[in-house]
């Protein structure tokens, strides 16, 4: 039996390749994900080991929860120097410094930091060209910044720090060990120490940390303990090795999430692959009906027949796992190279390795998926009676009653899981519900396929080949349904995401045109140390005095602690203007200017916390001691400032930054908004991170990120759709083999080759469009359910991406045409006499 199975397998090489291809792509994604993250993890570990190579012990101020740490004083450096075993102790100054390019715009990176520091001459930075900064108006820049911005020694460079734009003379360009321009794509600049302290920390004679070098014979651990004992509990004292590990662990934790995302999409690809393998083995079993029945008549048991089909699946799974693992290593290495060069960061990659997790997951996933998908066809094969060997036709199609009832039950179970998942915000329940719902819909698909395929096929059956193609696609509902279900999964997920993002865009547009009564919005485009870009308060005063401006207000923002809970707080410059421009309605109390010991709350937060007007709330701001506020007013439920606490303007002095992060202006009646905008924009000439926009521009900028998210998801789901396309090709190719004699007879009675190709193409297009229609329907259901669940999160409007959905249908039709090319050519090239004689 074993030899018979292997001979049967090797005699059908095309079937072997088509069966394995779907698994190869899924395994490639899984193994590639592990190879990519393993390579990046080791690369970042090496990076931080290099970055802290000159640090034996590091000292930094300890931050209390919710508070900004106080900088170190020269006395702390003196105390460290007095510790036995200390060879040197150098004060470090570091903070945000964003360089402005020669085009007047801030130079950005792909996630790497932009910072400034004090040049000490003791770090691992070495001057490559020119000299170190010595005067207040001089700086040195890193090699990567010089290359990125096109700067050279002697050029001027403008920088944004805690203060508005200042211009400096570049006196030198520095590099790191090995002649590297950067450690990881950072944009860095070195100041003299007094200038760095003022611009980066906002105070003179303070430091953000201390780098300590151990004397010969003193271990890093011993020195750490001695320094910690000298300074006391208010400081974090760590060895350079511990600091490098800590930084690498933080990056690697983010890479784990990245890996989970990739594995999630790999799971989707494999889920789609199961449909294809199931369909493939169903067709194979149908084609081998006589062969398997003859084996039964010759004495083979049901267990041997099942073993024959499962063995074939194991061989295919093994081959696919090996090929997929190899392809995954290549893809992982390629993606790691791309990742390392994003934004020109040139992260120095560690050697490409193949972790054991990639090997184990590749073989486990590839072989298990293949065997699981082959079990049902194997059981069906075992039920073939020996007398079937005397029949000419394959086994007839079976009733759809049982599979329909099962599908309805499974779909209901998936819907219930989704409902509980949305109500309890449980990702496992949501993802599990989606998976189960897909299985349920797939089981229901056969009952839908006959009427829907017939209806879709009518659009293409204006000729005899088209009519035959329509009938062929409706001939076997199970086969058509499984093939279409593979395409349905990818399109439904993309459609569901599109519905959610379209609804979010529509909600923002309604908010801007309804509750947001402001004409101009002034905000930062980028983020600075995780916070929005800011501007000076005196600029807001100039905005208020601009010709055509009726009123303007702004706020500084920060996170504050209420007990163990983190809240978002804004310190507003004008509460009356806030009330007017945001159309806030009082729920209790009057919305009016706040005293220094008062705050305002939205209704949802007040209800959640059980607060009301007069309640006292203790908040810990970034600076100073905890402060107690009384609730001055509560505004009615609104889509703006949800969950935010409004504090008096005076509270901003205890924020991490008291500068304005966002501002709003209303023009006078009769004034032209565009004209006023042109008069306001020059006020921010020294701060290119800040933009002045009207409402439509602000909505467009806010929602543009949705397009990026959708594009990323479309790219990641493209693999699932590619596998689905292969499924259509696989089904058609095996169907052509199965119908060899039928095609020969059609050719014998006069059907031309072009007509045969048209018939196969119609069949392919009908199946693809059916899968797309099914995917659109399921995707709309998922999207609507998600939007309903997110109503309390601000997505109040339901929107449908009609144009995008039409595009998906068109793409599905094109996919059908492309998928039909190879099977149609094979069908057209059949020798008529050989085909008629085919058994």
């Amino acid at each position: 039996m074993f030899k018979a199975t292997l001979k049967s397998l090797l005699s059908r090489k095309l079937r072997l390749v088509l069966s394995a291809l779907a698994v190869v792509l899924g395994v490639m994604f899984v193994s590639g994900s592990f190879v990519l993250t393993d390579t990046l993890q080791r690369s970042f570990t090496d990076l931080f080991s290099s970055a802290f190579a000159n640090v034996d012990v590091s000292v930094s101020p300890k931050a209390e929860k919710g508070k900004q740490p106080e900088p170190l004083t020269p006395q702390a450096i003196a105390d460290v120097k007095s510790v036995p075993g200390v060879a040197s102790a150098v004060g470090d100054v570091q903070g945000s410094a964003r360089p402005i390019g020669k085009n007047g715009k801030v130079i950005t990176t792909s996630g790497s930091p932009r910072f400034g520091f004090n040049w000490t001459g003791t770090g691992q930075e070495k001057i490559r060209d020119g000299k170190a900064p010595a005067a207040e108006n001089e700086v040195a820049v890193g090699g990567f910044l010089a290359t990125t911005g096109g700067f050279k020694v002697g050029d001027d460079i403008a920088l944004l720090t805690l203060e508005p734009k200042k211009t400096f003379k570049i006196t030198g360009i520095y590099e790191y060990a090995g002649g590297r321009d950067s450690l990881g794509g950072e944009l860095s600049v070195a100041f003299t120490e007094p200038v760095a302290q003022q611009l980066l920390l906002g105070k003179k004679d303070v430091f953000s940390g201390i780098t300590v070098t151990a004397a010969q014979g003193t271990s890093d651990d011993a020195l750490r303990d001695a320094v910690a004992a000298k300074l006391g509990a208010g400081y974090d004292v760590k060895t350079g090795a511990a600091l490098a590990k800590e930084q690498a662990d933080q990056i690697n934790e983010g890479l784990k999430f990245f890996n989970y995302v990739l594995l999630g999409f790999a799971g989707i690809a494999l889920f789609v692959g199961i449909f294809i393998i199931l369909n493939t083995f169903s067709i194979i079993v149908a084609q081998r009906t006589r062969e398997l029945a003859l084996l039964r008549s010759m004495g083979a048991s049901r267990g041997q027949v099942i073993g024959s089909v499962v063995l074939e699946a194991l061989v295919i799974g093994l081959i696919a796992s090996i090929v997929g693992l190899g392809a995954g290593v290549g893809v992982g290495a390629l993606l790691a190279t791309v990742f390392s060069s994003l934004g020109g960061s040139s992260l120095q990659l560690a050697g490409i390795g193949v972790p054991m997790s990639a090997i184990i997951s590749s073989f486990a996933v590839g072989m298990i998926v293949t065997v699981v998908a082959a079990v049902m066809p194997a059981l069906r094969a075992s039920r073939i009676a020996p007398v079937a060997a005397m029949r000419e036709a394959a086994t007839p199609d079976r009733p759809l009653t049982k599979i329909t009832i099962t599908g309805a039950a499974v779909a209901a179970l998936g819907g219930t899981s989704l409902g509980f998942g949305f109500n309890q915000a449980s990702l496992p329940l949501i993802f599990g519900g989606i998976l189960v719902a897909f299985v349920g819909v797939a089981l229901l698909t056969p009952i839908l396929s006959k009427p829907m395929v017939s209806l879709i096929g009518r659009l293409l059956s204006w000729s005899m080949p088209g009519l035959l193609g329509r009938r062929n696609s409706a001939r076997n509902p199970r086969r058509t349904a499984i093939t279409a279900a593979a395409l349905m999964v990818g399109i439904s997920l993309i459609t569901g995401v599109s519905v959610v993002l379209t609804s979010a865009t529509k909600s923002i547009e309604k908010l801007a045109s309804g509750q947001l009564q402001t004409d101009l919005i002034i905000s930062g485009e980028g983020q600075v140390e995780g916070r929005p870009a800011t501007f000076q308060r005196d600029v807001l005063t100039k905005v208020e005095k601009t010709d055509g401006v009726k009123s303007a207000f702004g706020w500084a923002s920060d996170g504050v602690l209420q007990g163990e809970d983190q809240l978002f707080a804004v310190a507003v410059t004008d509460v009356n203007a806030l009330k007017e421009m945001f159309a806030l309605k009082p729920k209790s109390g009057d919305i009016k200017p706040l005293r220094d010991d008062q705050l305002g709350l939205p209704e949802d937060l007040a209800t959640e916390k059980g607060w009301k007007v007069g309640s006292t709330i203790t908040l810990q701001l970034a600076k100073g001691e905890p402060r107690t506020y009384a609730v001055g007013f509560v505004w009615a439920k609104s889509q703006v400032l949800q969950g935010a606490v409004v504090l008096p303007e005076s509270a901003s002095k205890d924020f991490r930054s008291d500068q304005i992060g966002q501002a709003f202006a209303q023009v006078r009646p009769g004034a032209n908004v565009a004209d006023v905008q042109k008069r306001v924009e020059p006020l921010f000439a020294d701060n290119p991170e800040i933009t002045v926009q009207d409402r439509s521009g602000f909505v467009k900028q806010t929602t543009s990120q949705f397009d990026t998210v959708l594009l990323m998801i479309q790219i990641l789901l493209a693999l699932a759709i590619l596998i689905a396309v292969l499924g259509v090709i696989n089904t058609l190719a095996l169907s052509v083999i199965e119908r060899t004699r039928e095609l020969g007879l059609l050719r014998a009675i006069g059907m031309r080759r072009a007509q045969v190709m048209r018939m196969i193409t119609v069949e392919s297009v009908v199946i693809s469009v059916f899968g797309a229609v099914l995917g659109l329907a399921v995707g709309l259901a998922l999207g609507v359910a998600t939007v309903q669940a997110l109503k309390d999160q601000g997505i109040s409007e339901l929107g449908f991406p009609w144009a995008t959905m039409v595009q998906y249908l068109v793409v599905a039709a094109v996919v059908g045409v492309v998928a039909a090319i190879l099977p149609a050519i094979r069908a057209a090239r059949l020798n008529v006499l050989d085909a008629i004689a085919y058994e």
Side-chain angles (χ1 to χ4, degrees):
M1 196 69 185
F2 178 76
K3 290 181 179 179
T5 301
L6 290 183
K7 285 184 178 180
S8 173
L9 187 64
L10 295 174
S11 66
R12 297 175 174 88
K13 296 181 179 62
L14 175 62
R15 187 178 73 193
L16 175 65
V17 172
L18 292 174
S19 303
L21 201 51
V23 184
V24 167
L25 291 173
V27 170
M28 178 186 74
F29 212 147
V30 172
S31 58
S33 301
F34 282 113
V35 170
L36 171 62
T37 50
D38 174 74
T39 301
L40 293 180
Q41 284 175 353
R42 288 185 290 106
S43 299
F44 279 111
T45 299
D46 293 347
L47 165 66
F48 289 113
S49 296
S50 175
F52 294 102
N54 292 348
V55 179
D56 292 331
V57 172
S58 172
V59 178
S60 59
K62 183 175 289 185
E64 296 181 28
K65 187 174 182 181
K67 293 184 67 175
Q68 185 177 23
E70 292 293 329
L72 302 176
T73 63
Q75 182 59 48
I77 299 176
D79 290 342
V80 171
K81 287 181 176 179
S82 68
V83 174
V86 171
S88 67
V90 179
D92 300 319
V93 179
Q94 185 169 313
S96 173
R98 288 94 64 205
I100 299 173
K102 294 183 177 181
N103 59 357
K105 296 182 179 180
V106 173
I107 303 174
T108 59
T109 67
S110 299
S112 300
R114 297 169 296 175
F115 64 89
F117 64 96
N118 60 322
W119 182 268
T120 62
T122 60
Q124 59 177 312
E125 302 88 2
K126 304 298 179 186
I127 292 293
R128 171 197 295 170
D129 188 16
K131 61 185 181 69
E136 288 186 357
N137 66 333
E138 294 179 347
V139 295
V141 299
F144 183 57
L145 173 54
T147 302
T148 303
F151 296 111
K152 60 182 185 297
V153 173
D155 286 349
D156 289 336
I157 183 172
L159 298 165
L160 295 175
T161 57
L162 291 179
E163 298 186 8
K165 181 175 74 174
K166 291 183 179 297
T167 302
F168 297 85
K169 181 73 67 177
I170 298 176
T171 61
I173 297 174
Y174 54 85
E175 64 182 16
Y176 298 90
R180 297 166 64 181
D181 281 347
S182 75
L183 291 175
E186 75 282 355
L187 299 178
S188 59
V189 57
F191 302 88
T192 59
E193 189 168 283
V195 174
Q197 290 169 332
Q198 184 62 44
L199 297 184
L200 306 181
L201 300 180
K203 296 179 181 179
K204 294 182 179 180
D205 295 327
V206 290
F207 300 89
S208 52
I210 304 172
T211 296
V212 185
T213 304
Q216 191 170 2
T218 303
S219 71
D220 293 352
D221 290 341
L223 184 61
R224 174 200 59 201
D225 295 341
V227 170
K230 175 68 176 180
L231 295 178
Y235 301 86
D236 278 326
V237 184
K238 300 175 182 177
T239 63
L243 206 56
K245 184 178 183 304
E246 182 182 286
Q247 296 290 326
D249 287 346
Q250 290 178 6
I251 294 290
N252 292 339
E253 193 63 35
L255 288 175
K256 283 183 182 178
F257 176 77
F258 179 60
N259 194 34
Y260 293 151
V261 172
L262 291 178
L263 290 175
F265 283 99
I268 294 171
L270 287 166
F271 182 62
V272 172
I274 288 176
F275 288 108
I276 297 172
I277 301 166
L278 178 63
N279 210 20
T280 300
F281 277 94
S282 297
I283 298 173
I284 288 171
V285 168
Q287 291 175 0
R288 294 176 60 194
T289 297
R290 297 192 69 185
E291 175 189 329
L292 294 172
L294 282 169
L295 289 173
R296 288 293 311 280
S297 67
M298 293 169 62
S301 66
R302 290 183 63 182
Q304 286 177 311
V305 172
I306 293 174
S308 173
V309 178
V310 171
L311 177 61
E312 188 168 339
L314 278 172
V315 173
I316 291 173
L318 178 61
I319 294 172
S321 298
I322 294 171
V323 176
L325 175 60
V329 172
V331 169
L334 176 63
L335 291 176
T337 303
V338 172
F339 186 95
S340 70
S341 59
L342 281 177
S345 63
S346 298
L347 172 68
Q348 188 168 334
L349 290 176
I352 302 297
V354 184
M356 189 56 65
S357 57
I359 298 173
I360 294 173
S361 62
S362 295
F363 285 97
V365 167
M367 297 181 72
I368 290 173
V369 164
T370 311
V371 171
V372 167
V375 165
M376 288 301 294
L379 292 173
R380 194 173 338 135
S382 71
R383 297 191 183 105
I384 299 173
V387 73
M390 304 301 296
R391 297 178 184 170
E392 183 69 26
T395 53
D397 204 15
R398 290 156 295 141
L400 301 175
T401 307
K402 289 183 179 179
I403 195 172
T404 301
I405 294 173
T406 304
V410 173
L413 179 62
T416 303
S417 177
L418 269 175
F420 280 115
F422 283 134
N423 287 333
Q424 300 176 16
S426 170
L427 285 179
L429 279 176
I430 291 173
F431 289 135
I434 291 174
L435 180 63
V436 174
F438 277 144
V439 173
V441 172
L443 292 173
L444 287 171
T445 304
I447 199 69
L448 300 173
S449 66
K450 219 162 192 177
M452 289 187 65
V453 164
S454 180
L455 180 62
I456 295 169
R458 288 184 185 278
L459 301 175
L460 303 170
S461 57
W462 61 82
S463 63
M464 183 53 66
L467 180 62
L468 290 174
R470 175 171 70 90
R471 289 178 177 175
N472 286 336
S473 57
R475 179 190 295 181
N476 191 326
R478 279 184 170 83
R479 183 181 302 174
T480 299
I482 294 175
T483 306
L487 189 60
M488 175 265 293
V489 173
I491 290 183
S492 61
L493 289 173
I494 294 177
T495 302
V497 172
S498 298
V499 169
V500 174
L501 297 182
T502 302
S503 299
T505 299
K506 193 173 180 180
S507 301
I508 292 173
E509 289 173 347
K510 182 181 179 182
L511 171 64
S513 60
Q515 289 183 272
L516 204 59
Q517 301 299 316
T518 179
D519 295 309
L520 297 176
I521 297 97
I522 304 166
S523 60
E525 289 183 329
Q527 294 278 318
V528 180
E529 295 178 350
R531 293 176 286 118
T534 58
F535 58 92
Q536 300 289 325
R537 289 175 174 271
D538 60 343
V539 181
L540 180 59
T541 304
K542 295 177 183 177
V543 172
E544 293 175 322
K545 296 178 180 179
T546 301
D547 182 30
V549 173
K550 176 186 175 184
S551 61
F553 80 97
W555 63 53
S557 61
D558 202 0
V560 299
L561 277 180
Q562 188 271 317
E564 294 295 318
D565 296 335
Q566 180 88 23
L567 302 177
F568 176 70
V570 293
V572 179
T573 61
D574 188 339
V575 173
N576 288 330
L578 168 72
K579 174 185 176 182
E580 179 182 356
M581 293 192 209
F582 282 15
L584 298 182
K585 305 296 182 184
K587 177 68 176 179
S588 57
D590 294 329
I591 302 178
K592 60 183 181 180
L594 296 164
R595 300 194 309 265
D596 288 347
D597 61 348
Q598 288 183 315
L599 56 75
L601 296 171
E603 181 183 359
D604 56 345
L605 183 60
T607 302
E608 177 189 343
K609 296 286 190 178
W611 294 330
K612 57 186 179 181
V613 172
S615 297
T616 56
I617 303 168
T618 301
L619 300 177
Q620 175 61 66
L621 278 58
K623 302 174 185 176
E625 298 301 317
R627 300 177 61 175
T628 300
Y629 295 90
V631 177
F633 58 80
V634 176
W635 68 83
K637 192 172 183 180
S638 170
Q639 294 297 319
V640 295
L641 286 176
Q642 283 187 325
V645 177
V646 172
L647 296 177
E649 184 178 9
S650 60
S652 65
K653 69 179 185 298
D654 287 329
F655 284 1
R656 283 180 292 172
S657 171
D658 69 344
Q659 297 186 23
I660 302 298
Q662 199 161 20
F664 307 86
Q666 199 171 49
V667 304
R668 297 185 183 280
N672 184 278
V673 174
D675 292 340
V676 176
Q677 181 179 350
K678 290 178 181 177
R679 288 194 284 272
V680 171
E681 285 174 337
L683 299 176
F684 298 93
D686 286 345
N687 197 334
E689 290 176 309
I690 302 298
T691 58
V692 181
Q693 297 172 304
D694 59 15
R695 272 183 289 181
S696 62
F698 178 72
V699 169
K700 186 176 180 180
Q701 180 190 9
T702 303
T703 57
S704 63
Q705 59 188 319
F706 298 156
D707 296 331
T708 304
V709 171
L710 182 59
L711 178 61
M712 289 175 60
I713 291 175
Q714 286 175 329
I715 291 172
L716 289 170
L717 285 175
L719 178 62
I721 294 176
L722 173 61
I723 293 175
V725 173
L726 291 173
V728 178
I729 297 173
N730 198 2
T731 299
L732 291 174
L734 293 174
S735 179
V736 166
I737 296 172
E738 183 182 49
R739 288 156 35 200
T740 297
R741 191 171 187 183
E742 173 189 319
L743 292 169
L745 288 170
L746 288 173
R747 292 278 284 120
I749 62 174
M751 180 175 276
R752 298 187 303 275
R753 287 183 174 182
Q755 290 177 313
V756 172
M757 295 179 69
R758 197 184 314 156
M759 179 182 70
I760 300 295
T761 301
V762 168
E763 186 176 348
S764 177
V765 170
V766 168
I767 293 173
S768 298
V769 172
F770 172 48
V773 170
L774 202 62
L776 291 175
V778 175
L780 284 174
L782 287 174
V784 170
T786 305
V787 170
Q788 293 299 318
L790 294 176
K791 269 194 170 182
D792 293 337
Q793 307 301 318
I795 303 182
S796 58
E797 299 298 308
L798 183 61
F800 298 104
W802 299 114
T804 304
M805 290 162 63
V806 171
Q807 289 174 6
Y808 292 155
L809 280 176
V810 173
V811 168
V814 173
V815 161
V817 173
V818 173
I821 292 174
L822 293 177
I825 292 174
R826 179 183 176 85
R829 287 179 176 175
L830 286 174
N831 182 284
V832 176
L833 294 178
D834 289 343
I836 293 173
Y838 181 82
E839 291 292 340

